[in-house]
Amino acid sequence: MVVDENNIPVANAEVLVANTTYFTNTKGFFNTPKLNLDKYISTVKITKAGYFKAYRSFSANATKNFVSIKLIPKTLIGSFSSSTAGSVSLSNSSQISFQANSINIKSTGAAYTGTVNVYSAYIDPTSADIATKVPGSFIGQDATNLYALKSAGMIAVELE
């Protein structure tokens, strides 16, 4: 199930699971046919315009799997010129700083020149619904083990 920040179902959100794309219905649900999922860790990715991409990792079972995701609104909090240092502040007093000429174009690696828009949101670790908001999960993995993680706070950030 996919909902917005007010727990209202999100229709037509794009859901990627097991390399196949589905879309949520008017009630925010998506349903898949029988899939081969990893019983230790499987991941779904949700995309919807106006929101940060959301990911949810879970341990799949052999019958039905229910995944609940709360999308975080993608809010423009500031802009800066890529050729000069810049910083933006969030409503909780967190600050994100950028060095001059530190933004590169992913596809080419070349320096980006122009205005950089910063979209960000603070994710409060004391929020009762943090498990549905966090873009990912509270599972960590090394070469041999899975671990339960705890948040001290997070910031979702996208640069455009």
Side-chain angles (χ1 to χ4, degrees):
M1 179 174 194
V2 179
V3 297
D4 68 11
E5 66 275 20
N6 298 310
N7 292 318
I8 296 171
V10 176
N12 296 315
E14 184 176 301
V15 180
L16 179 65
V17 59
N19 294 318
T20 305
T21 301
Y22 304 91
F23 291 89
T24 57
N25 64 19
T26 57
K27 295 181 181 181
F29 285 102
F30 61 96
N31 195 9
T32 67
K34 189 173 183 176
L35 298 172
N36 289 324
L37 299 173
D38 187 312
K39 70 178 182 178
Y40 296 109
I41 192 161
S42 293
T43 302
V44 296
K45 174 184 168 186
I46 310 294
T47 307
K48 177 74 175 178
Y51 295 92
F52 286 100
K53 291 176 190 161
Y55 299 86
R56 181 70 63 240
S57 296
F58 62 99
S59 297
N61 64 54
T63 57
K64 276 198 170 195
N65 294 278
F66 181 80
V67 178
S68 181
I69 297 174
K70 184 175 280 194
L71 296 178
I72 300 170
K74 189 174 164 182
T75 305
L76 179 66
I77 63 165
S79 300
F80 66 96
S81 171
S82 64
S83 61
T84 60
S87 66
V88 293
S89 297
L90 282 76
S91 60
N92 74 326
S93 300
S94 296
Q95 189 173 41
I96 307 169
S97 298
F98 302 91
Q99 296 177 357
N101 302 308
S102 63
I103 308 297
N104 292 330
I105 300 169
K106 183 178 179 179
S107 61
T108 64
Y112 171 75
T113 56
T115 300
V116 179
N117 291 324
V118 182
Y119 297 84
S120 187
Y122 174 68
I123 303 170
D124 183 352
T126 64
S127 175
D129 60 355
I130 189 168
T132 62
K133 282 184 180 177
V134 64
S137 68
F138 288 111
I139 299 171
Q141 181 178 8
D142 65 14
T144 56
N145 298 300
L146 291 175
Y147 299 94
L149 304 174
K150 184 177 178 180
S151 174
M154 297 180 203
I155 300 173
V157 179
E158 282 190 25
L159 306 177
E160 290 183 358

